[in-house]
Amino acid sequence: MRHKTLLSTFIAGLALAFHIGPAAAADALVARGAYLVKGPVACGSCHTPLGPDFKPIMDKTLAGGFHFDEPAFNTYSANITPDKETGIGGWTDEEIIHAIREGAEKDGRIIFPPMPVPTYNNMSDDDAKAIVAYLRTVKPVKNAIPLAKYNIPQQTMPPAKGLPAPPKSDKVAYGGYIVNALGHCFECHTTAGPHGAPDFAGHLGAGGFEIKLGPGMSVMTANITPDKDTGIGSWTDAQIARAITDGIGADGHRLSPPMAYAYYKNMTTEDVDAVVAYLRTIPPISNKVERTAFQQKAFPR
Ligand code: HEC
Ligand code: HEC
């Protein structure tokens, strides 16, 4: 009894000291999740379907159906709204977090690639919970999605460690966390190895990964290592930040999709600066990326 009283006095004291009660803490969690999903994590860049004009269909936010038609897989992004029948409304928090960080559903079906599960495997417990708390608040949309077909062997990721994110005061480390646990920059920006998957060990960030946008429309990702001649080593911090948030290259030309510029635009200046500071620290790799004919024609430079 005495213990309980002491403990509750202590907790009440803490809440007073930090001006937070349980409701405020829950609001803070949803706010963090909203920031992550609308900003650096950009789940909607795959999970919100696009109209014929390549713009997201807003009243289908996160309702899935984006088609990936590759030799390795024929899959549609899932409906991750809280709709009970066609979305994830009936899933527990743990089941959703397991899908995001280890890439499997409760029945064991493996759901990646292309979902960047290897990146999300590094996500902190706090951020995973925040994302789920936010997903619970979006409008449920009924949208049944066809089942995926994979022509490659699939493997889940090992159990996520859920380590806390580094403190924001350590700019480079926090930037590394955004890039490697949230933003999946390297899953697009790393050169493909012999089996078509990104070669993280040998070509991290060196670009030249080909992404199909549609028939006859493929693009090459850029070299974002600090190499002075073929990467972004000679760009200023402001130029790199503008490429990320506005989709504009160093010489002022528009950059091509599918990088999630429209989401990265919602990142705080502090977070964008941290990403830039981190990118300066990765090993430079000389790799001149030739943009595809489609890319050069549609986005002249
Ligand atoms: C690069 C594209 C991509 C990104 C980015 C992405 N996903 Fe996915 N996700 C997919 C695809 C495709 C599927 C369906 C795979 C399948 O059915 O085998 C999927 C499946 C899922 C599922 C399983 C749901 C179900 O009903 O099968 C969940 C949950 C999920 N994603 C959540 C998220 C969240 C949360 C984020 C952001 C943190 C995210 N995804 C980012 C492509 C993506
Ligand atoms: C879905 C794939 C994808 C993701 C994810 C992605 N990018 Fe990109 N990015 C591209 C493509 C494609 C280009 C090249 C566009 C062009 O040349 O028109 C590009 C261009 C860039 C450029 C401009 C470099 C240059 O030489 O033109 C920078 C800087 C950049 N990305 C940084 C990032 C960072 C940082 C992240 C993570 C926060 C990221 N990208 C995530 C696909 C992606």
Side-chain angles (χ1 to χ4, degrees):
M1 191 61 207
R2 198 179 131 76
H3 257 94
K4 203 177 157 203
T5 320
L6 269 180
L7 189 67
S8 39
T9 315
F10 177 69
I11 291 172
L14 266 184
L16 265 182
F18 293 101
H19 299 288
I20 53 165
D27 286 353
L29 197 67
V30 171
R32 170 73 179 163
Y35 170 70
L36 292 172
V37 172
K38 293 177 182 174
V41 189
C43 311
S45 62
C46 289
H47 282 280
T48 298
L50 299 180
D53 55 358
F54 281 106
K55 296 222 170 87
I57 306 173
M58 290 326 278
D59 60 350
K60 286 208 168 164
T61 296
L62 300 175
F66 195 107
H67 191 193
F68 297 87
D69 186 7
E70 300 281 338
F73 46 80
N74 189 337
T75 173
Y76 296 83
S77 64
N79 180 345
I80 57 170
T81 72
D83 182 62
K84 283 240 168 16
E85 285 156 42
T86 62
I88 54 173
W91 296 33
T92 65
D93 289 5
E94 290 70 29
E95 285 163 357
I96 301 173
I97 292 176
H98 179 55
I100 299 172
R101 294 197 306 197
E102 281 104 20
E105 292 195 356
K106 55 184 161 179
D107 64 6
R109 197 173 68 84
I110 302 177
I111 56 164
F112 77 102
M115 177 149 147
V117 177
T119 292
Y120 301 155
N121 195 250
N122 302 317
M123 192 185 287
S124 74
D125 284 344
D126 287 350
D127 282 347
K129 286 181 193 152
I131 287 173
V132 172
Y134 169 68
L135 290 179
R136 300 266 186 225
T137 71
V138 306
K139 189 182 69 154
V141 179
K142 204 163 278 320
N143 191 27
I145 305 296
L147 211 60
K149 284 198 197 70
Y150 288 95
N151 304 318
I152 44 165
Q154 286 174 283
Q155 245 186 330
T156 48
M157 290 300 293
K161 295 199 183 75
L163 299 178
K168 288 196 173 180
S169 54
D170 188 343
K171 198 169 167 180
V172 169
Y174 192 75
Y177 174 75
I178 297 176
V179 169
N180 293 300
L182 305 176
H184 76 280
C185 316
F186 291 143
E187 299 206 24
C188 282
H189 279 283
T190 299
T191 324
H195 301 294
D199 172 19
F200 297 121
H203 290 91
L204 191 77
F209 192 87
E210 186 171 359
I211 302 176
K212 266 204 286 174
L213 299 177
M217 301 195 293
S218 74
V219 300
M220 284 291 183
T221 63
N223 180 344
I224 57 168
T225 73
D227 184 62
K228 284 234 172 357
D229 298 320
T230 63
I232 54 174
S234 58
W235 294 30
T236 65
D237 286 0
Q239 283 171 329
I240 302 174
R242 185 176 66 162
I244 297 170
T245 58
D246 295 81
I248 297 177
D251 56 5
H253 70 269
R254 267 180 69 214
L255 296 168
S256 69
M259 185 164 148
Y261 316 108
Y263 293 85
Y264 300 153
K265 201 171 184 53
N266 298 325
M267 284 169 69
T268 60
T269 314
E270 190 189 10
D271 280 5
V272 176
D273 288 351
V275 166
V276 173
Y278 167 75
L279 288 179
R280 298 267 189 224
T281 68
I282 65 171
I285 298 176
S286 173
N287 181 36
K288 175 130 186 64
V289 175
E290 295 296 343
R291 267 46 173 200
T292 63
F294 160 78
Q295 207 171 3
Q296 291 185 35
K297 189 154 174 263
F299 302 90
R301 58 205 73 212

